[in-house]
Amino acid sequence: MLKTNQTKVVIQSVQGSIQHPLSGYPYRISHEGIPYVLPATGGITYNVKLGDPAFGWAGDHIEPGVTMRNSNDKENAALHLLSCIGNEARVISGDAKGAKGFVTGGHGGVEHVLVYFKQADMEMMSVGDKILIKACGQGLELSDHSEVKVMNIDPDLLLKIGITEQGSKIRVPVAATAPAHLMGSGIGAPSAYKGDYDIMTGDKEEVKKYGLDQLKFGDLVLLQDCDNSFGRGFLKGAVSIGVVVHSDCVKMGHGPGITTIMTCKKAGVIDGVNDENANIAKYLNI
């Protein structure tokens, strides 16, 4: 069993409210130059859920389940940074007060935190309802693998994934592998400890070649030659593991969003094990 510093990881409250969708200029221009008017980020998305396909929706950057934010920018920065995938979320106002769910990822740029709740609970929710998260995960370390940086994941969830050790290696179940040349929007960000970056899907043949067109919300994905240690960039041999958090997009340089949960600069330390069921919905019994 993986040894971690879980007993030393701090659990702290962070809070926000269900975010209303935003709109400015109505058109989203595709990589083929076609203008679309589509639903996008924010709100309570009733019919797009964890475990559903990340492709095929009549939408752009769709965030499954419930989208939350804090109206104070500094507080929202903390909400986004400290909320980790798998953290417990609890509704603390409105008709759904008391309902519990969990964090499914963070979406950079719009700085949203995404949360899973049961369908019946979402039907009771309203925009503006407050949600409290028991934030836990930043500062998590693998005791016997100091070269691996862990981020954005609840310690309990990390241990449920089924990671195994083989000497100095760790073997992580993944639903797919994405090459570095397909990673787009978010490259060059100063930190991977919040938000996401996108698998570009403009080249449909290349996406199909790697089986990425079959991705689902919540899937674990291995990113080849991707170093997320101190930002996001290319490094030959580096490996990162992430979770699919939002849908495909029509815009150039965009696609399904990946929130990083671990990364290593050194080649041969993180090894992906193909498992089409490697999805946080499975590990959290959804």
Side-chain angles (χ1 to χ4, degrees):
M1 184 175 178
L2 281 177
K3 294 180 181 178
T4 73
N5 66 334
Q6 180 174 358
T7 59
K8 302 297 183 182
V9 176
V10 175
I11 305 172
Q12 195 171 51
S13 65
V14 290
Q15 186 173 305
S17 302
I18 298 176
Q19 171 69 35
H20 198 288
L22 300 175
S23 179
Y25 187 65
Y27 297 104
R28 289 174 177 258
I29 309 300
S30 77
H31 54 82
E32 296 171 337
I34 301 171
Y36 290 93
V37 178
L38 296 167
T41 59
I44 303 167
T45 305
Y46 298 98
N47 65 330
V48 183
K49 304 178 180 66
L50 188 67
D52 283 347
F55 286 79
W57 300 99
D60 187 274
H61 290 83
I62 296 298
E63 300 166 335
V66 175
T67 299
M68 63 179 292
R69 203 180 191 284
N70 191 304
S71 59
N72 180 296
D73 286 343
K74 289 186 177 181
E75 291 179 5
N76 190 63
L79 168 66
H80 197 192
L81 175 66
L82 298 176
S83 297
C84 292
I85 295 172
N87 286 168
E88 179 184 288
R90 177 167 55 89
V91 181
I92 59 172
S93 70
D95 292 343
K97 184 176 180 179
K100 289 186 177 181
F102 57 82
V103 174
T104 62
H107 189 176
V110 287
E111 305 303 301
H112 290 165
V113 172
L114 315 181
V115 189
Y116 166 88
F117 286 101
K118 294 177 181 178
Q119 185 72 27
D121 292 330
M122 289 198 300
E123 296 290 346
M124 298 293 290
M125 294 177 186
S126 299
V127 170
D129 285 354
K130 295 180 180 179
I131 300 172
L132 183 141
I133 292 170
K134 294 176 73 172
C136 177
Q138 305 297 31
L140 183 63
E141 298 175 355
L142 302 184
S143 303
D144 296 330
H145 304 276
S146 59
E147 65 273 32
V148 177
K149 291 184 178 294
V150 180
M151 59 192 75
N152 305 321
I153 186 166
D154 187 285
D156 287 334
L157 176 56
L158 181 73
L159 297 179
K160 292 177 180 177
I161 287 173
I163 298 171
T164 58
E165 297 172 283
Q166 189 176 52
S168 61
K169 289 185 177 181
I170 60 171
R171 308 189 76 219
V172 185
V174 293
T177 296
H181 66 264
L182 286 181
M183 300 312 296
S185 179
I187 285 283
S191 174
Y193 280 82
K194 64 173 186 171
D196 69 307
Y197 69 140
D198 291 6
I199 298 173
M200 296 185 289
T201 54
D203 189 327
K204 298 187 187 306
E205 291 302 315
E206 194 74 355
V207 168
K208 188 174 182 179
K209 171 183 171 181
Y210 288 93
L212 299 170
D213 57 331
Q214 301 301 309
L215 287 177
K216 301 182 290 293
F217 298 112
D219 274 354
L220 271 64
V221 181
L222 186 147
L223 310 180
Q224 290 179 326
D225 301 320
C226 292
D227 178 21
N228 284 195
S229 301
F230 301 100
R232 302 188 183 103
F234 174 87
L235 179 64
K236 190 69 176 177
V239 170
S240 295
I241 304 289
V243 175
V244 179
V245 298
H246 70 65
S247 78
D248 188 25
C249 317
V250 301
K251 297 168 68 177
M252 175 67 78
H254 291 259
I258 308 295
T259 291
T260 307
I261 61 170
M262 66 174 62
T263 189
C264 183
K265 289 177 174 287
K266 186 178 177 181
V269 175
I270 300 176
D271 193 13
V273 179
N274 292 330
D275 178 359
E276 64 180 10
N277 296 313
N279 189 290
I280 63 170
K282 169 188 171 182
Y283 307 127
L284 293 169
N285 298 316
I286 301 304

